[in-house]
C-alpha cells in the first residue's frame, strides 16, 4: 500500500500520513482532500512512500484535477519556510490562495444562431436574431440587453431551435501572447542589453542580472525582449513579472497587452474572487504564459517558470511585513536558482544589497545610461530651508513659489511631492496641549479636511473631528499641525488662484479606475499642479511636466532604520525623475534642512554611485547587511507586565553562538498596537552564520502561553 504524506496549508510542524486508495491516482505534488480532525481539508501530497504503515491510516478522499505541483516548487516552499523560520504549511497557504482554482471553471449557458428559422417572427425576435448575427456566443441576459428585449424572448427562440445553447466556462483561458510583434526600434545601448538578456534566456540556466538604467531609459522595453525570447524558446515557458503593488495599474497591464497582443494574467490584492481563481488555475495548469503580479505572485505554482523580472527591485514593498515575513526579491532569486531560470532585477536606484552582489560577481549588470531620443534627466537643485524658509504657516519656500508661478506661466505642469496623506499629520489641543492618538495604539491621528475625520493611518481607525477636546473639553481648540497634501493644495490654490490643482493619494484615488482617470487627466494637461504622495513616484509618463517640487525631503531620514538614507534617496530620485520625460527639459527643487546629508548631495549631483559608495562603507564598517546578517524576534502580549516577564525568559533561552549578538528586548517604536504591547530583540551575526537555523533553535526552546505571540523576521526592514 502506498502512503501519502500530506501537507496542509496550516501552521502545523509537518505533513501527516494517509492511505492512498487504489481507485485514486495520487502523485507527489497532487492536490488532494483528506480528513483532518472532524472535516476534510485541502492539502498537498508532499511525498509518497511504500513503507508498511505502523497504524491504520485514514484514506485520501479526493484528488483535484490540477496538475501536481512541481518538485521544484515543493523544494522552494521548503526553502522559504526554513529561511523565514515558519512552518512549510504556512508557505503552502500562500501558494494555495485561490481555492476555487483547484476546480474546473463553473459554466454558464451561452447562445449562438441556429440554422432553423422560428415559425413565428415578432419584431422582438427579429431584433434578437439580428443582434446575435453580429456577436460571439452570449448569455441570455447579454443578448436580451443588446437587442433591447426581455430574456423571455431569447429563451423562446432557444426553445424554437433558432438559437443554440451551449455551456461555456465562466473563467476564460488567457489569450496566448505573441512574441513576434515588434516593439520600438531600440537604441544601440538598449539593443545590446536586450541581446544579452536574450542569450541568457536561450541558455536556459540560472542567471541573475541587474538591469540598471535611469528612469525612462527603456528598461521595460528591454525586458520585453527577454520575455519575447522566453516565449519563443519553449511553447510551455511561463514568465513572472513582479511589480510593487502600487505600480500595478491598468496602464501597466495595457502596456503588456500592446506589446504581446494579449493581456497577461494579473495577480494582486485588488482582484475579485473570480479573477483570482482564474489566474491561479491558469498558472497551475501551465496555460497562463505571462503573469504580472505583486510580491505574492512569487508563490504561485508555476509548471514551467523560465524567466522572472523583478521591476523596481529596490522597492521596500517587496518586503512582506505581516504574517509570514519575507523579502520577495531575495526569495525570487532563490526560486530562479531552483528553477534554473533567468532573473532580471530592474531599477534606476538598485538596492545596496544588489549592487554588492554585482561587485562580488554573483550578479551580472547591464547598464542603460541614456533616455531614448532627446529626453533628458532633470536638473536637481537643493533648496536650503535654513537659509530661505517658507513664510510662517506656509510650506513652500519663496524659490519654489516662484518656480511654480513660472511653470504655469509657460503653460507647463508641476508636481509637488509630500509623503503625507490628509491635511495635517498631528492634531493638538491648543488649550491643554494633548496630542490625539488612535485608541490602544501608539500612533498620532491625522486630520483629513475633505472628509472631516481624524484617521489612524496604521490601523485605519477613524472618527469625525470632535468639536471639543476629548481631554480638557475646550471647544474649538483642536488644531492640525504640520503639512499633509490637502494643506499644500490649499496653499497652492491661494498662491495661484486660476490653477487647476489636484491631490493624488490613496485617499483620492481609490482603486484602478480613479487612478487611471487622474493619470490620464494629468497626461492630457487637464491638471496644472498635481500634489501627491508616493503613489506619484511610479512609472507614469507626463510629457508636459517640467517642475517637480519636493516639499519635505527630510521626512524619510528620521527613524532608526538602517536603510532610511537609501530609501530617501531612491524615492526622491524617482519622484524627481518624473520631470522632463519628453522633449522638454525638467527640473526638480528639493526642500531640505539637511543639504549636507549624503542622500541630498547625491540627489543634487545625480551621483548615485557616490552615494552608494558611502552607504556601502558605513555598512561594511558596522557589519550591517549585506555585510553581516540581521534578524528580529518580535514579542507581543496583551499587557506590558506579561511582555516584560516573558521577555526576560525568552532572552535567557537564547542559544549561544559564536559572534552572535542579541540585543533587547526593547519596546518597539510603536509600543502599543491595537491594544497589544510589543517588544523586539535584534540579532546580528557574521555573514557565514545560518541565522535562520539559530532563530529556529531559539524558538523551539520556548514554551509560551497562548496569549503571547512571537515571530521571527529574517533581515528586518522597518519595524513599527
Ligand atoms: P523605464 O522602464 O526605464 O522607466 P520605459 O521602458 O518605461 O523606461 O521607457 C520610457 C518611455 O520611453 C516609454 O514611454 C517608452 O515607451 C519609451 N521608449 C523606450 N525605449 C524607446 C525606444 N527605443 N524608442 C521609442 N520610445 C522608447
Amino acid at each position: 500500500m502506498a502512503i501519502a504524506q500530506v501537507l496542509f496549508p496550516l501552521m502545523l510542524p509537518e505533513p501527516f500520513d494517509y492511505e492512498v486508495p487504489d481507485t485514486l491516482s495520487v502523485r507527489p505534488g497532487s492536490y488532494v482532500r483528506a480528513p483532518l480532525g472532524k472535516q476534510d481539508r485541502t492539502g498537498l501530497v508532499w511525498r509518497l512512500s511504500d513503507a508498511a504503515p505502523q497504524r491504520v491510516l485514514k484514506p485520501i478522499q479526493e484528488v483535484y484535477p490540477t496538475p501536481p505541483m512541481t518538485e521544484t516548487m515543493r523544494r522552494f516552499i521548503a526553502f522559504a519556510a526554513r529561511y523565514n523560520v515558519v512552518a512549510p504549511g504556512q508557505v503552502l497557504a500562500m501558494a494555495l490562495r485561490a481555492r476555487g482554482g483547484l476546480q474546473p471553471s463553473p459554466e454558464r449557458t451561452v447562445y449562438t444562431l441556429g440554422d432553423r428559422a422560428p415559425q413565428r417572427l415578432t419584431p422582438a425576435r427579429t431584433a434578437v436574431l439580428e443582434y446575435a448575427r453580429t456577436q460571439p456566443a452570449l448569455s441570455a441576459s447579454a443578448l436580451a440587453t443588446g437587442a433591447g428585449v426581455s430574456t423571455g424572448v431569447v429563451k423562446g427562440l432557444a426553445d424554437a431551435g433558432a438559437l443554440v445553447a451551449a455551456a461555456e466556462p465562466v473563467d476564460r483561458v488567457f489569450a496566448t501572447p505573441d512574441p513576434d510583434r515588434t516593439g520600438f526600434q531600440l537604441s544601440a545601448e538598449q539593443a545590446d542589453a536586450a541581446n544579452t538578456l536574450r542569450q541568457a534566456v536561450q541558455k536556459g540556466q540560472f542567471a541573475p542580472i541587474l538591469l540598471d538604467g535611469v528612469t525612462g531609459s527603456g528598461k521595460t522595453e528591454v525586458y520585453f525582449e527577454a520575455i519575447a525570447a522566453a516565449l519563443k524558446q519553449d511553447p510551455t515557458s511561463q514568465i513572472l513579472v513582479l511589480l510593487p503593488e502600487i505600480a500595478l495599474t491598468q496602464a501597466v497591464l495595457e502596456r503588456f497587452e500592446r506589446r504581446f497582443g494579449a493581456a497577461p494574467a494579473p495577480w494582486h490584492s485588488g482582484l475579485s474572487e473570480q479573477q483570482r481563481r482564474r489566474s491561479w488555475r491558469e498558472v497551475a495548469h501551465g496555460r497562463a504564459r505571462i503573469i504580472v503580479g505583486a510580491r505574492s505572485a512569487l508563490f504561485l505554482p508555476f509548471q514551467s517558470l523560465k524567466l522572472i523580472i523583478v521591476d523596481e527591485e529596490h522597492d521596500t514593498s517587496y518586503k512582506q511585513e505581516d504574517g509570514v515575513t519575507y523579502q520577495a526579491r531575495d526569495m525570487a532569486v532563490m526560486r530562479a536558482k531552483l528553477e534554473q531560470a533567468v532573473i532580471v532585477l530592474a531599477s534606476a536606484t538598485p538596492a545596496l544589497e544588489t549592487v554588492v552582489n554585482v561587485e562580488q560577481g554573483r550578479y551580472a549588470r547591464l547598464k542603460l545610461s541614456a533616455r531614448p531620443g532627446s529626453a533628458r534627466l532633470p536638473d536637481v537643485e537643493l533648496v536650503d530651508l535654513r537659509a530661505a524658509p517658507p513664510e510662517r504657516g506656509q510650506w513652500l519656500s519663496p524659490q519654489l513659489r516662484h518656480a511654480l508661478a513660472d511653470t504655469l506661466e509657460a503653460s507647463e505642469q508641476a508636481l509637488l511631492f509630500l509623503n503625507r496623506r490628509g491635511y495635517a499629520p498631528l492634531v493638538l489641543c491648543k488649550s491643554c496641549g494633548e496630542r490625539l492618538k488612535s485608541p490602544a495604539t501608539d500612533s498620532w491621528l491625522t486630520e483629513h479636511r475633505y472628509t472631516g475625520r481624524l484617521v489612524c493611518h496604521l490601523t485605519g481607525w477613524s472618527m469625525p473631528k470632535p468639536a471639543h477636546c476629548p481631554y480638557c473639553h475646550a471647544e474649538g481648540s483642536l488644531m492640525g499641525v504640520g503639512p499633509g497634501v490637502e494643506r499644500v493644495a490649499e496653499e497652492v490654490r491661494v498662491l495661484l488662484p486660476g490653477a487647476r490643482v489636484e491631490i493624488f493619494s490613496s485617499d483620492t484615488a481609490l482603486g484602478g479606475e480613479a487612478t487611471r482617470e487622474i493619470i490620464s487627466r494629468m497626461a492630457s494637461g487637464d491638471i496644472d499642479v498635481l500634489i501627491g504622495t508616493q503613489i506619484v513616484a511610479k512609472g507614469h509618463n507626463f510629457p508636459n511636466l517640467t517642475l517637480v517640487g519636493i516639499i519635505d525631503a527630510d521626512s524619510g531620514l528620521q527613524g532608526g532604520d538602517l536603510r532610511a538614507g537609501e530609501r530617501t534617496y531612491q524615492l526622491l530620485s524617482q519622484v524627481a525623475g518624473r520631470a522632463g520625460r519628453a522633449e522638454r527639459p525638467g527640473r526638480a527643487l528639493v526642500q531640505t534642512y539637511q543639504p549636507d546629508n549624503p542622500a541630498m548631495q547625491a540627489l543634487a549631483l545625480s551621483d548615485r554611485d557616490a552615494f552608494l559608495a558611502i552607504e556601502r562603507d558605513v555598512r561594511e564598517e558596522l557589519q550591517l547587511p549585506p555585510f553581516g546578517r540581521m534578524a528580529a524576534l518580535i514579542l507581543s502580549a496583551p499587557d506590558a507586565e506579561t511582555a516584560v516577564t516573558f521577555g526576560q525568559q525568552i532572552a535567557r533561552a537564547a542559544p549561544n553562538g559564536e559572534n552572535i549578538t542579541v540585543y533587547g528586548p526593547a519596546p518597539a517604536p510603536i509600543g502599543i498596537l491595537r491594544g497589544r504591547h510589543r517588544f523586539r530583540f535584534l540579532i546580528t551575526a557574521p555573514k557565514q552564520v545560518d541565522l535562520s537555523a539559530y532563530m529556529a533553535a531559539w524558538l523551539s526552546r520556548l514554551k509560551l502561553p497562548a496569549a503571547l505571540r512571537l515571530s521571527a523576521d529574517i533581515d528586518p526592514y522597518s519595524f513599527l
Side-chain angles (χ1 to χ4, degrees):
M1 185 186 79
I3 301 176
Q5 296 182 351
V6 176
L7 183 69
F8 292 96
L10 299 167
M11 203 161 133
L12 295 168
E14 52 203 18
F16 295 145
D17 288 353
Y18 289 88
E19 177 198 330
V20 179
D22 293 339
T23 49
L24 295 181
S25 150
V26 173
R27 289 196 278 151
S30 289
Y31 299 86
V32 297
R33 277 186 85 72
L36 183 71
K38 288 204 173 62
Q39 49 179 332
D40 282 356
R41 297 198 72 125
T42 299
L44 188 92
V45 176
W46 201 239
R47 268 181 230 102
L48 277 182
S49 73
D50 288 321
Q54 305 295 309
R55 58 196 160 83
V56 179
L57 297 177
K58 291 181 183 161
I60 285 177
Q61 298 295 315
E62 182 192 346
V63 182
Y64 288 98
T66 304
M69 181 184 278
T70 62
E71 193 199 336
T72 317
M73 177 65 190
R74 282 176 281 139
R75 282 170 56 206
F76 176 61
I77 288 177
F79 166 80
R82 202 192 91 77
Y83 187 87
N84 297 298
V85 202
V86 294
Q90 290 173 277
V91 182
L92 178 64
M94 301 197 289
L96 269 177
R97 226 174 247 160
R99 293 297 170 77
L102 285 166
Q103 312 280 10
S105 168
E107 295 190 327
R108 64 173 165 211
T109 309
V110 290
Y111 298 88
T112 47
L113 222 48
D115 30 355
R116 236 190 298 157
Q119 291 181 339
R120 195 171 53 83
L121 254 182
T122 60
R125 285 187 157 194
T126 310
V128 172
L129 294 176
E130 287 294 309
Y131 185 64
R133 205 181 305 283
T134 65
Q135 297 293 315
L138 287 182
S139 68
S141 63
L143 264 181
T145 311
V149 303
S150 75
T151 49
V153 181
V154 176
K155 298 275 163 61
L157 283 168
D159 290 344
L163 288 176
V164 181
E168 182 194 79
V170 173
D171 307 343
R172 285 165 300 110
V173 298
F174 290 94
T176 307
D178 175 3
D180 292 318
R181 289 162 67 105
T182 44
F184 287 105
Q185 179 73 40
L186 297 184
S187 69
E189 192 184 38
Q190 290 173 334
D192 275 353
N195 261 332
T196 309
L197 291 184
R198 224 175 270 127
Q199 283 161 8
V201 167
Q202 283 159 359
K203 253 186 158 173
Q205 287 171 4
F206 171 57
I209 303 168
L210 168 63
L211 181 57
D212 176 358
V214 294
T215 11
S217 59
K219 294 185 291 297
T220 313
E221 299 300 330
V222 168
Y223 72 62
F224 277 170
E225 297 303 314
I227 295 175
L231 289 171
K232 272 195 221 175
Q233 171 91 348
D234 170 352
T236 68
S237 61
Q238 293 177 295
I239 296 116
L240 169 64
V241 182
L242 293 180
L243 291 169
E245 177 103 35
I246 200 168
L248 266 167
T249 56
Q250 198 57 32
V252 170
L253 296 176
E254 279 161 13
R255 198 165 164 194
F256 279 83
E257 188 168 353
R258 275 199 301 280
R259 178 64 172 80
F260 297 106
W267 187 264
H268 54 85
S269 64
L271 293 186
S272 69
E273 198 55 39
Q274 190 237 330
Q275 291 170 317
R276 180 169 283 268
R277 71 169 189 234
R278 174 187 182 212
S279 286
W280 194 94
R281 182 188 305 108
E282 296 308 308
V283 169
H285 281 260
R287 293 185 294 244
R289 305 288 306 283
I290 306 178
I291 293 82
V292 179
R295 63 183 176 221
S296 61
L298 181 64
F299 292 93
L300 287 170
F302 291 88
Q303 285 295 327
S304 176
L305 185 57
K306 299 294 187 207
L307 171 65
I308 304 177
I309 315 278
V310 185
D311 204 349
E312 311 286 5
E313 66 90 33
H314 62 278
D315 199 289
T316 46
S317 73
Y318 282 121
K319 173 78 183 186
Q320 157 101 14
E321 306 268 15
D322 320 314
V324 178
T325 56
Y326 62 89
Q327 192 351 319
R329 176 199 58 222
D330 298 349
M331 291 294 115
V333 172
M334 194 58 205
R335 180 147 194 196
K337 193 167 180 181
L338 291 169
E339 302 274 0
Q340 286 297 307
V342 173
I343 177 161
V344 178
L345 308 176
S347 177
T349 50
L352 183 66
E353 281 83 351
T354 304
V355 172
V356 170
N357 274 321
V358 169
E359 283 172 7
Q360 298 179 346
R362 282 189 291 270
Y363 296 179
R365 179 196 324 240
L366 295 172
K367 270 206 156 205
L368 297 177
S369 55
R371 290 183 168 190
S374 55
R376 285 204 340 230
L377 281 172
D379 294 324
V380 180
E381 202 177 321
L382 299 182
V383 179
D384 185 348
L385 292 181
R386 296 169 310 184
E391 304 263 325
R392 232 184 117 73
Q394 297 181 350
W395 312 99
L396 309 179
S397 61
Q399 193 179 346
L400 184 50
R401 294 170 81 90
H402 283 131
L404 267 177
D406 291 349
T407 304
L408 264 67
E409 183 70 38
S411 301
E412 293 171 352
Q413 292 169 296
L415 171 71
L416 297 180
F417 173 77
L418 177 65
N419 211 3
R420 289 208 200 94
R421 291 158 50 200
Y423 185 82
L426 186 71
V427 181
L428 180 87
C429 172
K430 276 187 290 199
S431 177
C432 69
E434 197 68 47
R435 299 159 169 208
L436 267 52
K437 267 190 186 174
S438 179
T441 300
D442 274 346
S443 151
W444 310 125
L445 292 176
T446 296
E447 179 179 1
H448 284 240
R449 281 265 164 110
Y450 286 167
T451 56
R453 297 183 78 83
L454 306 185
V455 183
C456 171
H457 288 170
L458 203 60
T459 62
W461 184 89
S462 77
M463 67 171 177
K465 185 178 177 186
H468 302 267
C469 168
Y471 299 94
C472 71
H473 307 291
E475 192 178 342
S477 66
L478 295 179
M479 174 176 84
V481 182
V485 281
E486 291 179 8
R487 186 172 249 179
V488 171
E490 190 178 89
E491 186 176 337
V492 174
R493 289 198 180 102
V494 173
L495 173 70
L496 303 165
R500 295 162 299 173
V501 178
E502 292 221 23
I503 294 173
F504 189 20
S505 76
S506 55
D507 300 302
T508 61
L510 264 179
E513 188 52 47
T515 304
R516 194 166 8 167
E517 205 252 349
I518 205 161
I519 290 172
S520 94
R521 280 192 300 123
M522 181 70 183
S524 63
D526 292 343
I527 298 171
D528 296 314
V529 184
L530 188 64
I531 298 162
T533 59
Q534 65 175 17
I535 196 168
V536 302
K538 312 287 169 177
H540 315 300
N541 270 317
F542 302 128
N544 200 33
L545 173 68
T546 56
L547 174 69
V548 166
I550 295 182
I551 305 294
D552 180 5
D554 310 329
S555 66
L557 293 174
Q558 291 138 14
D561 190 332
L562 80 99
R563 295 180 182 82
E566 188 187 356
R567 202 141 66 195
T568 296
Y569 176 75
Q570 288 162 342
L571 182 61
L572 297 188
S573 65
Q574 208 166 30
V575 177
R578 296 296 123 212
R581 271 214 154 189
E583 280 64 40
R584 295 162 199 268
R587 65 171 167 154
L589 294 181
V590 179
Q591 300 196 142
T592 174
Y593 284 100
Q594 304 178 43
D596 301 326
N597 183 293
M600 300 304 156
Q601 285 295 317
L603 262 182
L605 301 171
S606 295
D607 194 349
R608 184 195 80 190
D609 293 338
F611 172 72
L612 283 173
I614 296 173
E615 269 294 303
R616 183 194 187 290
D617 290 350
V618 171
R619 299 236 202 127
E620 188 163 24
E621 173 81 34
L622 301 174
Q623 287 294 294
L624 289 169
F627 300 98
R629 289 190 192 277
M630 202 179 217
L633 187 64
I634 296 145
L635 163 73
S636 94
D639 60 84
E641 207 186 320
T642 317
V644 170
T645 311
F646 283 96
Q648 288 159 357
Q649 197 171 317
I650 293 164
R652 279 195 298 274
N656 286 326
E658 212 178 321
N659 295 321
I660 297 180
T661 316
V662 176
Y663 301 94
I670 294 187
I672 310 175
L673 181 61
R674 294 191 181 94
R676 293 190 67 88
H677 294 249
R678 309 160 80 230
F679 285 79
R680 173 176 72 162
F681 295 88
L682 261 187
I683 302 94
T684 60
K687 187 84 186 164
Q688 62 280 10
V689 169
D690 182 346
L691 206 46
S692 300
Y694 178 87
M695 298 301 287
W698 189 358
L699 287 176
S700 71
R701 293 176 171 197
L702 300 167
K703 277 250 169 311
L704 298 172
L708 237 60
R709 272 183 236 145
L710 203 55
S711 60
D713 182 358
I714 299 295
D715 209 4
Y717 274 49
S718 70
F719 180 63
L720 295 174

